């Protein structure tokens, strides 16, 4: 009976670990999507002619940094790129468009990568 209990306990622990890992991955993807969507909203406001808002840009820095840390166990390459996106938002005027493309931190590219994570790709 002890062996059976040990096996059941082991299976239970494995399932609990898998559930925690899935929850962690979901939270990581959610944080990336929040950063993407907040950035898209801010860019849309700029497209409508609203003035640059440094406070909003500071919030974007925080969102991208948070997303970078959360996603690191799921996708290290994306994590590094998200931190670069956070650095971009510290002073966007200092980043020529070519740097954004070269570092693969364009919002559409990151958005596509986040959607792929949602699909499990």
């Amino acid at each position: 009976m002890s062996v059976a209990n040990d096996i059941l306990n082991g299976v239970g622990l494995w399932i609990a670990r898998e559930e925690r890992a899935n929850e962690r991955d979901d939270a990581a993807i959610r944080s990336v999507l929040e950063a993407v969507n907040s950035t898209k909203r801010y860019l849309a406001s700029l497209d409508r002619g609203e003035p640059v808002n440094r406070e909003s840009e500071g919030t974007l820095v925080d969102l991208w940094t948070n997303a970078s840390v959360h996603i690191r166990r799921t996708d290290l390459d994306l994590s590094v790129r998200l931190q670069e996106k956070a650095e971009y938002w510290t002073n966007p005027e200092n980043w020529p468009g070519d740097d954004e493309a070269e570092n693969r931190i364009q919002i559409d590219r990151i958005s596509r990568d986040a959607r792929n994570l949602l699909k499990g790709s």
Side-chain angles (χ1 to χ4, degrees):
M1 197 60 145
S2 172
V3 172
N5 284 338
D6 289 346
I7 291 171
L8 287 175
N9 285 337
V11 169
L13 288 173
W14 179 80
I15 290 171
R17 270 184 274 175
E18 284 294 310
E19 288 174 353
R20 281 194 309 273
N22 288 338
E23 289 171 3
R24 181 197 69 221
D25 291 347
D26 288 349
I29 294 168
R30 184 180 310 108
S31 68
V32 174
L33 293 171
E34 287 174 356
V36 165
N37 292 332
S38 293
T39 301
K40 285 184 173 189
R41 278 195 312 267
Y42 178 66
L43 293 172
S45 75
L46 295 178
D47 287 345
R48 289 189 301 272
E50 295 177 23
V52 169
N53 183 321
R54 298 296 178 207
E55 186 174 326
S56 293
E57 290 178 356
T59 299
L60 293 176
V61 170
D62 295 341
L63 288 169
W64 286 112
T65 300
N66 186 48
S68 172
V69 170
H70 281 127
I71 205 73
R72 76 186 187 282
R73 288 189 178 110
T74 304
D75 187 329
L76 186 56
D77 175 66
L78 181 57
S79 174
V80 170
R81 290 171 37 220
L82 298 184
Q83 180 52 37
E84 289 173 354
K85 191 68 169 178
E87 293 168 12
Y88 165 87
W89 281 110
T90 61
N91 194 353
E93 290 81 21
N94 284 344
W95 281 69
D98 292 347
D99 284 352
E100 208 178 348
E102 185 177 308
N103 292 318
R104 301 175 298 136
I105 62 169
Q106 307 98 321
I107 192 67
D108 291 335
R109 185 167 186 167
I110 292 173
S111 180
R112 183 192 67 225
D113 292 345
R115 283 191 306 274
N116 285 338
L117 287 173
L118 276 175
K119 294 182 218 173
S121 303

